[in-house]
Amino acid sequence: MVQQLQTSESPPLRIALAGLGTVGAGMIRLLDTNADLVRARAGRPIQIVAVSARDRTKDRGVDLGRFAWESDMTALAARGDIDVVVELVGGSEGPALDLARKTIASAKGLVTANKAMIAHHGMELAREAEAAGTALKFEAAVAGGIPVVKGLREGTAANAIERIYGILNGTSNYILSTMEATGASFDATLADAQGKGYAEADPTFDIEGIDAAHKLSILAGIAFGARIDFDSVDCEGIARVRAADIAQADKLGYVIRLIGMADVECGEDGTPQLLQRVKPCLVPKGHPLAHVTGATNAVVAEGNFSGRLLFQGAGAGEGPTASAVVADLIDIARGETSAPFSVPVGALKPMAAATSGHRLGRTYLRFTVTDRPGVLAEITAAMRDAGVSIESLIQEGKIAEGGEVLVAMVAHEGPERNVAHALKLLESSPSLTAPPLVMQIIAG
Ligand code: NAP
Ligand code: HSE
């Protein structure tokens, strides 16, 4: 009997692949290169049957002649010779969503790397997948090659997660850590990132924090058993971080990183509220996230029994992302079709968004002001009137032609609403040449 189990192989898991770009072509290469070990671990071959993209003539560096071609990618969902559709096209709406819905409606498994679609439509897709008894998997949607979705769904399943935070966008991290190393401006470093292929021609989602917010909302849903609520992510990108902020942070013992952070806190009315925030933050140089440079991602999960866990690795790129996609396929080949968000959608809690005003924290504030008498007094008076206690203050010399001066300060731990009040008091001040930049300081 044992002998029979070892020699008889289950039929292949038959795949349709939509999208033959960076990740799609990478997935084909991975399945070709690692065919034997994938087959052994999946218990059966994983076999691509049909593919789709926009341009059939494009050379993608892989042999596509062995696969059927569908010019309309949604037709993949209707094929009778397919078990799972892999969606590697992208976009929260449009053809990718249409394909996802049709795939699940036809009771086929769906694997996707599309964080935008999962952040916006993950609840609907998961509910439909659960009703159809089919798999929905999206490991590659969060932090590329890092198995953090699996880590949370499986590895920390026995824990209450107290907090989850990390570096979820490689492009932003490349820009910030390169500015740190070179002293160059944001604009020059963004141009460098685009030249090296890290940042897209339109880098908006990366530098405005939206890509990280997509990923954070997915992680928060799994970590806290909450319904995904992308619209409640308090999101700010890195475009306003100046080389001077990085230099000030350095003098104070910090680096600047774009941090996505989620936790459940007790609201002022006593009910649990979900805080989801993506913002540039000051990270102490001794913190593990301070050492994450370049396009790397890292996620910290704090479980009530596991303690602090750090997941770190390549958050993007052909190989790492394909690795996550194929790991999902291996799970499906093994028969794993459990609830996509760990618990059934009906059991996920709708959680109010945290208002965060009473949240305590230390804060870095940077003002750019005209260099004239009384400006510093005006700023410090607003701090005093709002109950913000200043821990340290640095005034730099002129930072631009025209006499603009930089004033940076660190406020002692206090309620975030006090800082917001101080900024309100300064809102119409003619002394400020630009809106202030406020960054939370992450505890060590
Ligand atoms: P990509 O290189 O731009 O490839 C997209 C593919 O989709 C292309 O093959 C394109 O066809 C095809 N496509 C676009 N619109 C289509 C349409 N209307 N009908 C049929 N095919 C269409 O994108 P990618 O970088 O591989 O990313 C794919 C997904 O993975 C996205 O959701 C992305 O967010 C996610 N992701 C990517 C990375 C990464 O490192 N790149 C990491 C994590 C997650 P043509 O080639 O013919 O134009
Ligand atoms: N654009 C993303 C990043 C990669 O820079 O991290 C895909 O998730």
Side-chain angles (χ1 to χ4, degrees), residues 115 168-171 206 211 215 315-316:
K115 56 255 172 176
L168 296 170
N169 184 262
T171 304
D206 291 319
D211 176 76
K215 296 166 182 168

